[in-house]
Amino acid sequence: MEVPVIDLAAYLSAGEGEVGSEVSELCREVSGILRETGALLVKDPRCTVEDNDRFLDMMEKYFESPFHFKRLQERPNLHYQVGVTPEGVEIPRSLVDEEMQEKFRAMPKESQPSIPIGPDPKWRYMWRVGPRPSNTRFQELNSEPVIPDGFPEWKETMDSWGHKMISAIEVVAEMAAIGFGLPKDAFTSLMKQGPHLLAPTGCDLRRYGKEGTVFAGYHYDLNFLTIHGRSRFPGLNIWLRNEKKVEVKVPVGCLLIQTGKQIEWLTAGDCLAGMHEVIVTSRTIDAIKQASEHNRSLWRVSSTLFAHIASDAVLKPLGHFAESPLSRKYPPICAGEFVEQELAVINLKGNKGES
Protein backbone atom coordinates (compact mmCIF):
# COMPACT_ATOMS: atom_id res chain seq x y z
CA MET A 1 0.00 0.00 0.00
CA GLU A 2 1.19 3.51 -0.85
CA VAL A 3 0.54 6.20 1.76
CA PRO A 4 -1.62 8.87 0.04
CA VAL A 5 -0.06 12.26 -0.83
CA ILE A 6 -2.05 15.42 -0.11
CA ASP A 7 -1.05 18.68 -1.83
CA LEU A 8 -1.60 21.52 0.65
CA ALA A 9 -1.57 24.16 -2.10
CA ALA A 10 -5.37 24.09 -2.56
CA TYR A 11 -6.01 24.77 1.13
CA LEU A 12 -3.30 27.46 1.29
CA SER A 13 -4.72 29.26 -1.76
CA ALA A 14 -8.22 29.24 -0.23
CA GLY A 15 -7.05 31.85 2.31
CA GLU A 16 -9.02 32.90 5.37
CA GLY A 17 -12.46 32.85 3.75
CA GLU A 18 -15.15 30.21 3.97
CA VAL A 19 -13.96 26.74 3.02
CA GLY A 20 -15.44 25.60 -0.30
CA SER A 21 -16.78 22.14 -1.10
CA GLU A 22 -13.59 21.00 -2.85
CA VAL A 23 -11.39 22.00 0.09
CA SER A 24 -13.91 20.55 2.57
CA GLU A 25 -13.66 17.22 0.79
CA LEU A 26 -9.85 17.45 0.96
CA CYS A 27 -10.11 18.09 4.72
CA ARG A 28 -12.32 15.02 5.15
CA GLU A 29 -9.72 13.04 3.21
CA VAL A 30 -6.97 14.25 5.56
CA SER A 31 -8.89 13.30 8.71
CA GLY A 32 -9.87 9.96 7.19
CA ILE A 33 -6.28 9.07 6.27
CA LEU A 34 -5.01 10.03 9.73
CA ARG A 35 -7.77 7.94 11.32
CA GLU A 36 -7.15 4.83 9.22
CA THR A 37 -3.37 4.88 8.70
CA GLY A 38 -1.89 7.18 11.36
CA ALA A 39 0.33 8.62 8.60
CA LEU A 40 -0.01 11.15 5.82
CA LEU A 41 2.31 12.36 3.05
CA VAL A 42 1.98 16.03 2.11
CA LYS A 43 3.45 18.45 -0.39
CA ASP A 44 3.84 21.98 0.94
CA PRO A 45 5.07 24.55 -1.60
CA ARG A 46 6.71 26.47 1.27
CA CYS A 47 9.01 23.52 2.14
CA THR A 48 11.49 22.84 -0.67
CA VAL A 49 13.90 20.01 -1.41
CA GLU A 50 16.71 22.56 -1.06
CA ASP A 51 15.55 23.43 2.49
CA ASN A 52 15.59 19.76 3.45
CA ASP A 53 19.02 19.13 1.89
CA ARG A 54 20.56 22.15 3.60
CA PHE A 55 19.36 20.84 6.95
CA LEU A 56 20.53 17.25 6.29
CA ASP A 57 23.97 18.46 5.17
CA MET A 58 24.49 20.35 8.44
CA MET A 59 23.23 17.51 10.64
CA GLU A 60 25.42 14.94 8.85
CA LYS A 61 28.42 17.17 9.58
CA TYR A 62 27.38 17.45 13.24
CA PHE A 63 26.79 13.73 13.81
CA GLU A 64 30.12 12.94 12.13
CA SER A 65 31.84 15.06 14.84
CA PRO A 66 33.89 13.26 17.53
CA PHE A 67 32.04 11.59 20.38
CA HIS A 68 33.57 13.86 23.06
CA PHE A 69 32.52 17.00 21.14
CA LYS A 70 28.90 15.89 20.87
CA ARG A 71 28.74 15.07 24.59
CA LEU A 72 29.36 18.78 25.31
CA GLN A 73 25.80 19.44 24.11
CA GLU A 74 24.26 16.81 26.43
CA ARG A 75 21.73 17.99 29.07
CA PRO A 76 20.57 14.94 31.10
CA ASN A 77 19.45 17.25 33.93
CA LEU A 78 16.76 18.57 31.55
CA HIS A 79 15.53 15.07 30.58
CA TYR A 80 17.52 15.43 27.31
CA GLN A 81 14.76 17.76 26.10
CA VAL A 82 17.36 20.17 24.67
CA GLY A 83 20.77 19.42 23.17
CA VAL A 84 22.05 15.98 22.23
CA THR A 85 20.90 12.56 23.38
CA PRO A 86 23.71 10.01 22.84
CA GLU A 87 23.14 6.57 21.43
CA GLY A 88 22.17 3.98 24.04
CA VAL A 89 19.98 6.32 26.12
CA GLU A 90 16.49 6.17 24.60
CA ILE A 91 14.68 2.96 25.52
CA PRO A 92 12.04 1.84 23.00
CA ARG A 93 8.68 1.52 24.69
CA SER A 94 8.24 -1.98 23.28
CA LEU A 95 11.16 -3.09 25.48
CA VAL A 96 9.45 -2.11 28.75
CA ASP A 97 5.69 -2.07 28.02
CA GLU A 98 4.29 -5.57 28.65
CA GLU A 99 0.87 -4.68 27.21
CA MET A 100 2.52 -3.54 23.98
CA GLN A 101 4.58 -6.75 23.86
CA GLU A 102 1.45 -8.89 24.21
CA LYS A 103 -0.18 -6.90 21.42
CA PHE A 104 2.56 -7.43 18.85
CA ARG A 105 3.08 -11.10 19.77
CA ALA A 106 -0.57 -11.63 18.80
CA MET A 107 0.02 -10.12 15.34
CA PRO A 108 0.53 -12.30 12.26
CA LYS A 109 4.23 -13.11 11.83
CA GLU A 110 4.57 -10.86 8.76
CA SER A 111 3.22 -7.87 10.70
CA GLN A 112 5.30 -8.23 13.85
CA PRO A 113 7.92 -5.55 14.55
CA SER A 114 11.61 -6.24 14.91
CA ILE A 115 12.36 -6.85 18.59
CA PRO A 116 15.02 -4.52 20.01
CA ILE A 117 17.56 -6.05 22.38
CA GLY A 118 18.40 -2.87 24.27
CA PRO A 119 18.37 0.95 24.06
CA ASP A 120 18.24 2.52 20.60
CA PRO A 121 21.70 2.89 18.96
CA LYS A 122 20.81 6.34 17.61
CA TRP A 123 21.78 9.88 18.51
CA ARG A 124 19.19 12.66 18.65
CA TYR A 125 19.40 16.45 18.82
CA MET A 126 16.59 18.41 20.48
CA TRP A 127 16.01 22.00 19.31
CA ARG A 128 13.04 24.06 20.49
CA VAL A 129 11.20 25.90 17.74
CA GLY A 130 8.83 28.83 18.24
CA PRO A 131 8.06 31.13 21.19
CA ARG A 132 8.10 29.82 24.74
CA PRO A 133 5.52 30.75 27.39
CA SER A 134 6.62 33.47 29.85
CA ASN A 135 4.95 31.59 32.72
CA THR A 136 4.74 27.80 32.84
CA ARG A 137 4.63 25.01 35.40
CA PHE A 138 6.95 22.99 33.16
CA GLN A 139 10.06 25.13 32.77
CA GLU A 140 12.37 22.19 32.03
CA LEU A 141 10.19 21.31 29.01
CA ASN A 142 10.64 24.88 27.74
CA SER A 143 14.37 25.39 28.30
CA GLU A 144 16.82 27.54 26.32
CA PRO A 145 18.44 25.92 23.25
CA VAL A 146 21.96 24.50 23.09
CA ILE A 147 24.18 25.62 20.17
CA PRO A 148 27.35 23.62 19.34
CA ASP A 149 30.58 25.54 18.67
CA GLY A 150 31.84 25.64 15.10
CA PHE A 151 28.41 25.77 13.45
CA PRO A 152 27.74 29.49 12.76
CA GLU A 153 24.76 28.58 10.55
CA TRP A 154 23.18 26.38 13.26
CA LYS A 155 20.46 28.61 14.70
CA GLU A 156 19.30 30.03 11.38
CA THR A 157 19.19 26.60 9.71
CA MET A 158 17.39 24.92 12.62
CA ASP A 159 14.88 27.74 13.05
CA SER A 160 14.19 28.10 9.32
CA TRP A 161 13.52 24.41 8.69
CA GLY A 162 11.71 24.02 12.00
CA HIS A 163 9.33 26.92 11.38
CA LYS A 164 8.55 25.68 7.87
CA MET A 165 7.66 22.22 9.15
CA ILE A 166 5.52 23.68 11.96
CA SER A 167 3.70 25.75 9.35
CA ALA A 168 2.93 22.54 7.43
CA ILE A 169 1.74 20.85 10.65
CA GLU A 170 -0.56 23.79 11.44
CA VAL A 171 -2.21 23.54 8.01
CA VAL A 172 -2.74 19.79 8.43
CA ALA A 173 -4.07 20.38 11.97
CA GLU A 174 -6.61 22.87 10.64
CA MET A 175 -7.62 20.56 7.81
CA ALA A 176 -7.94 17.60 10.19
CA ALA A 177 -10.08 19.65 12.59
CA ILE A 178 -12.45 20.61 9.77
CA GLY A 179 -12.53 17.00 8.58
CA PHE A 180 -13.34 15.77 12.09
CA GLY A 181 -16.22 18.25 12.35
CA LEU A 182 -14.47 20.51 14.87
CA PRO A 183 -13.79 24.26 14.69
CA LYS A 184 -10.90 25.07 12.35
CA ASP A 185 -8.67 26.20 15.24
CA ALA A 186 -9.63 23.38 17.64
CA PHE A 187 -6.09 21.94 17.53
CA THR A 188 -3.97 24.95 16.53
CA SER A 189 -5.29 27.08 19.41
CA LEU A 190 -3.93 24.46 21.82
CA MET A 191 -0.57 24.35 20.01
CA LYS A 192 0.26 28.03 20.64
CA GLN A 193 3.58 28.32 22.53
CA GLY A 194 3.82 24.54 22.71
CA PRO A 195 7.26 22.96 23.35
CA HIS A 196 7.71 22.04 19.68
CA LEU A 197 10.92 20.09 19.09
CA LEU A 198 12.99 19.80 15.96
CA ALA A 199 14.59 16.48 16.87
CA PRO A 200 16.73 14.99 14.09
CA THR A 201 18.19 11.55 14.74
CA GLY A 202 21.59 10.36 13.60
CA CYS A 203 22.37 6.67 12.97
CA ASP A 204 25.93 5.61 12.16
CA LEU A 205 25.54 3.17 9.28
CA ARG A 206 29.26 2.36 9.27
CA ARG A 207 28.90 0.84 12.75
CA TYR A 208 25.28 -0.25 12.68
CA GLY A 209 24.58 -0.86 9.00
CA LYS A 210 23.78 -4.57 9.28
CA GLU A 211 20.38 -5.59 7.91
CA GLY A 212 17.88 -6.03 10.72
CA THR A 213 19.52 -3.56 13.12
CA VAL A 214 16.82 -1.67 15.03
CA PHE A 215 17.50 2.07 15.24
CA ALA A 216 14.16 3.02 16.77
CA GLY A 217 12.20 0.17 18.31
CA TYR A 218 8.43 -0.23 17.83
CA HIS A 219 6.78 2.75 19.52
CA TYR A 220 4.32 5.62 19.26
CA ASP A 221 5.13 9.33 19.64
CA LEU A 222 3.89 11.06 22.79
CA ASN A 223 3.28 14.44 21.11
CA PHE A 224 0.43 15.78 18.92
CA LEU A 225 1.69 15.31 15.35
CA THR A 226 5.16 14.37 14.09
CA ILE A 227 6.55 15.56 10.76
CA HIS A 228 9.62 14.33 8.87
CA GLY A 229 11.47 15.56 5.86
CA ARG A 230 12.74 12.87 3.49
CA SER A 231 15.74 10.89 4.80
CA ARG A 232 18.55 9.89 2.46
CA PHE A 233 18.32 6.31 3.75
CA PRO A 234 15.03 4.36 3.94
CA GLY A 235 14.02 2.14 6.86
CA LEU A 236 10.75 3.43 8.36
CA ASN A 237 7.92 0.94 8.93
CA ILE A 238 4.47 2.00 10.14
CA TRP A 239 1.44 0.02 11.30
CA LEU A 240 -2.03 0.79 9.98
CA ARG A 241 -5.10 0.70 12.20
CA ASN A 242 -5.72 -2.91 11.06
CA GLU A 243 -2.16 -3.74 12.34
CA LYS A 244 -0.76 -4.29 8.86
CA LYS A 245 2.93 -3.32 8.62
CA VAL A 246 3.85 -0.96 5.77
CA GLU A 247 7.30 0.27 4.70
CA VAL A 248 6.99 3.99 4.01
CA LYS A 249 8.53 5.46 0.87
CA VAL A 250 8.65 9.25 1.07
CA PRO A 251 8.75 10.77 -2.44
CA VAL A 252 11.19 13.58 -3.17
CA GLY A 253 9.67 16.92 -2.17
CA CYS A 254 7.20 15.39 0.29
CA LEU A 255 6.87 15.45 4.07
CA LEU A 256 5.62 12.60 6.22
CA ILE A 257 3.18 13.33 9.08
CA GLN A 258 2.36 10.81 11.81
CA THR A 259 -0.24 10.88 14.57
CA GLY A 260 0.93 11.08 18.20
CA LYS A 261 -0.65 10.28 21.54
CA GLN A 262 -1.92 13.81 22.14
CA ILE A 263 -4.21 13.79 19.07
CA GLU A 264 -5.47 10.39 20.23
CA TRP A 265 -6.39 12.02 23.56
CA LEU A 266 -8.13 14.97 21.90
CA THR A 267 -10.22 12.69 19.65
CA ALA A 268 -11.01 10.06 22.34
CA GLY A 269 -9.21 7.40 20.35
CA ASP A 270 -10.97 8.09 17.04
CA CYS A 271 -7.50 8.88 15.72
CA LEU A 272 -4.93 6.55 17.31
CA ALA A 273 -1.24 7.28 17.85
CA GLY A 274 0.59 5.65 14.96
CA MET A 275 2.99 2.80 15.74
CA HIS A 276 6.30 2.75 13.88
CA GLU A 277 9.92 1.58 13.90
CA VAL A 278 13.16 2.41 12.05
CA ILE A 279 15.35 -0.52 11.04
CA VAL A 280 18.05 -1.37 8.51
CA THR A 281 16.26 -3.00 5.56
CA SER A 282 17.49 -4.34 2.22
CA ARG A 283 16.61 -0.95 0.73
CA THR A 284 18.78 0.70 3.41
CA ILE A 285 21.67 -1.59 2.41
CA ASP A 286 21.25 -0.56 -1.25
CA ALA A 287 21.33 3.12 -0.24
CA ILE A 288 24.47 2.51 1.87
CA LYS A 289 26.23 0.99 -1.16
CA GLN A 290 25.26 3.93 -3.37
CA ALA A 291 26.38 6.48 -0.76
CA SER A 292 29.72 4.66 -0.33
CA GLU A 293 30.33 4.61 -4.09
CA HIS A 294 29.77 8.38 -4.23
CA ASN A 295 31.74 9.09 -1.03
CA ARG A 296 28.67 10.54 0.73
CA SER A 297 27.97 10.54 4.45
CA LEU A 298 26.93 7.22 6.00
CA TRP A 299 24.97 8.83 8.81
CA ARG A 300 21.23 8.30 8.44
CA VAL A 301 19.63 11.60 9.47
CA SER A 302 15.91 12.03 9.98
CA SER A 303 14.68 15.62 9.97
CA THR A 304 11.99 14.96 12.57
CA LEU A 305 9.88 17.61 14.29
CA PHE A 306 7.55 16.88 17.20
CA ALA A 307 4.64 19.33 17.36
CA HIS A 308 3.14 19.55 20.85
CA ILE A 309 0.09 20.83 22.63
CA ALA A 310 1.15 23.68 24.98
CA SER A 311 2.51 22.34 28.27
CA ASP A 312 -0.06 24.16 30.44
CA ALA A 313 -3.04 23.31 28.22
CA VAL A 314 -5.39 20.49 29.22
CA LEU A 315 -5.61 17.35 27.13
CA LYS A 316 -9.19 16.09 26.93
CA PRO A 317 -11.58 14.92 24.18
CA LEU A 318 -12.80 17.91 22.16
CA GLY A 319 -16.30 18.77 20.92
CA HIS A 320 -18.40 15.77 19.93
CA PHE A 321 -15.54 13.42 20.86
CA ALA A 322 -16.34 14.17 24.53
CA GLU A 323 -19.63 12.27 23.99
CA SER A 324 -17.82 9.12 22.81
CA PRO A 325 -18.18 6.07 25.07
CA LEU A 326 -14.36 5.80 24.86
CA SER A 327 -13.84 9.30 26.30
CA ARG A 328 -13.55 7.90 29.84
CA LYS A 329 -10.25 6.32 28.75
CA TYR A 330 -8.93 9.85 28.17
CA PRO A 331 -9.48 11.83 31.40
CA PRO A 332 -8.39 15.49 31.52
CA ILE A 333 -4.65 15.89 32.15
CA CYS A 334 -2.25 18.80 31.76
CA ALA A 335 -0.18 18.25 28.60
CA GLY A 336 3.10 18.91 30.43
CA GLU A 337 2.23 16.36 33.11
CA PHE A 338 1.35 13.83 30.41
CA VAL A 339 4.72 14.40 28.69
CA GLU A 340 6.64 13.94 31.94
CA GLN A 341 4.85 10.64 32.60
CA GLU A 342 5.71 9.39 29.12
CA LEU A 343 9.36 10.47 29.37
CA ALA A 344 9.75 8.55 32.62
CA VAL A 345 8.77 5.32 30.83
CA ILE A 346 11.37 5.66 28.06
CA ASN A 347 14.20 6.54 30.47
CA LEU A 348 14.66 10.21 29.57
CA LYS A 349 13.19 11.59 32.77
CA GLY A 350 14.76 8.77 34.77
CA ASN A 351 18.23 10.12 33.87
CA LYS A 352 17.58 13.48 35.52
CA GLY A 353 20.57 14.57 37.57
CA GLU A 354 22.98 11.99 36.17
CA SER A 355 26.11 13.09 34.37
Side-chain angles (χ1 to χ4, degrees):
M1 172 194 164
E2 296 291 329
V3 178
V5 178
I6 300 292
D7 194 332
L8 303 185
Y11 184 86
L12 289 168
S13 62
E16 294 296 320
E18 187 174 337
V19 175
S21 59
E22 183 180 339
V23 174
S24 292
E25 180 57 35
L26 196 61
C27 292
R28 284 191 290 272
E29 187 177 357
V30 166
S31 61
I33 294 169
L34 292 177
R35 179 188 290 119
E36 295 304 318
T37 71
L40 176 71
L41 288 167
V42 301
K43 293 185 76 171
D44 187 328
R46 301 167 301 177
C47 301
T48 68
V49 173
E50 291 74 22
D51 292 328
N52 194 21
D53 284 344
R54 179 184 174 211
F55 176 81
L56 292 178
D57 289 345
M58 186 184 76
M59 291 312 305
E60 286 175 352
K61 179 182 174 185
Y62 173 78
F63 284 124
E64 287 167 352
S65 300
F67 184 89
H68 64 85
F69 170 79
K70 288 181 287 195
R71 292 295 295 263
L72 296 175
Q73 290 85 52
E74 187 181 5
R75 300 294 184 270
N77 59 310
L78 297 175
H79 309 340
Y80 296 97
Q81 292 302 287
V82 291
V84 78
T85 305
E87 62 181 55
V89 171
E90 286 191 42
I91 296 176
R93 190 159 193 133
S94 53
L95 203 63
V96 295
D97 189 323
E98 292 183 5
E99 184 178 340
M100 188 179 288
Q101 292 170 8
E102 289 178 11
K103 180 180 177 182
F104 66 63
R105 287 194 194 103
M107 294 178 183
K109 193 71 176 176
E110 66 274 11
S111 292
Q112 290 182 6
S114 300
I115 309 303
I117 58 174
D120 291 336
K122 69 174 185 295
W123 292 73
R124 187 190 292 281
Y125 206 99
M126 298 289 210
W127 180 263
R128 298 285 177 201
V129 179
R132 304 269 68 83
S134 54
N135 293 301
T136 176
R137 291 168 48 203
F138 304 96
Q139 195 59 53
E140 60 204 5
L141 298 180
N142 295 274
S143 304
E144 289 301 308
V146 180
I147 302 175
D149 291 336
F151 288 82
E153 75 280 26
W154 186 274
K155 186 177 188 306
E156 195 276 329
T157 301
M158 299 293 266
D159 285 344
S160 174
W161 186 231
H163 280 294
K164 288 185 178 187
M165 289 208 290
I166 285 178
S167 294
I169 284 271
E170 288 173 340
V171 169
V172 170
E174 286 187 358
M175 295 177 75
I178 294 168
F180 283 128
L182 299 171
K184 173 181 170 179
D185 67 346
F187 298 135
T188 53
S189 61
L190 295 173
M191 290 172 60
K192 293 188 187 311
Q193 297 189 333
H196 311 309
L197 274 173
L198 180 55
T201 61
C203 305
D204 187 352
L205 295 172
R206 290 187 189 277
R207 294 180 61 198
Y208 302 112
K210 181 181 177 182
E211 187 169 353
T213 300
V214 181
F215 281 129
Y218 181 76
H219 69 288
Y220 61 76
D221 292 339
L222 62 85
N223 53 297
F224 173 60
L225 290 173
T226 302
I227 185 168
H228 311 265
R230 186 174 184 269
S231 174
R232 289 168 174 162
F233 296 90
L236 175 66
N237 292 324
I238 66 170
W239 276 259
L240 308 182
R241 199 177 184 110
N242 63 7
E243 296 187 344
K244 180 183 178 183
K245 181 167 71 172
V246 175
E247 184 179 3
V248 178
K249 300 174 183 177
V250 181
V252 174
C254 288
L255 302 164
L256 172 69
I257 291 175
Q258 294 175 279
T259 52
K261 203 68 177 178
Q262 291 176 353
I263 193 172
E264 178 178 330
W265 218 273
L266 297 171
T267 62
D270 189 60
C271 189
L272 296 174
M275 305 303 300
H276 50 283
E277 69 179 1
V278 179
I279 65 171
V280 177
T281 67
S282 59
R283 291 180 63 237
T284 317
I285 298 296
D286 291 342
I288 291 172
K289 290 176 181 176
Q290 285 191 349
S292 298
E293 289 169 1
H294 293 88
N295 201 30
R296 297 197 303 263
S297 174
L298 291 181
W299 277 83
R300 182 191 188 278
V301 174
S302 74
S303 56
T304 301
L305 184 139
F306 299 118
H308 278 261
I309 299 303
S311 301
D312 296 277
V314 175
L315 288 176
K316 62 180 180 180
L318 300 177
H320 62 88
F321 291 118
E323 308 303 318
S324 166
L326 295 177
S327 63
R328 64 182 181 277
K329 291 178 59 178
Y330 302 95
I333 183 173
C334 201
E337 184 181 347
F338 172 78
V339 169
E340 289 187 336
Q341 290 178 4
E342 293 283 314
L343 292 177
V345 173
I346 59 174
N347 205 38
L348 294 186
K349 188 171 181 182
N351 282 284
K352 185 178 180 181
E354 295 178 10
S355 60

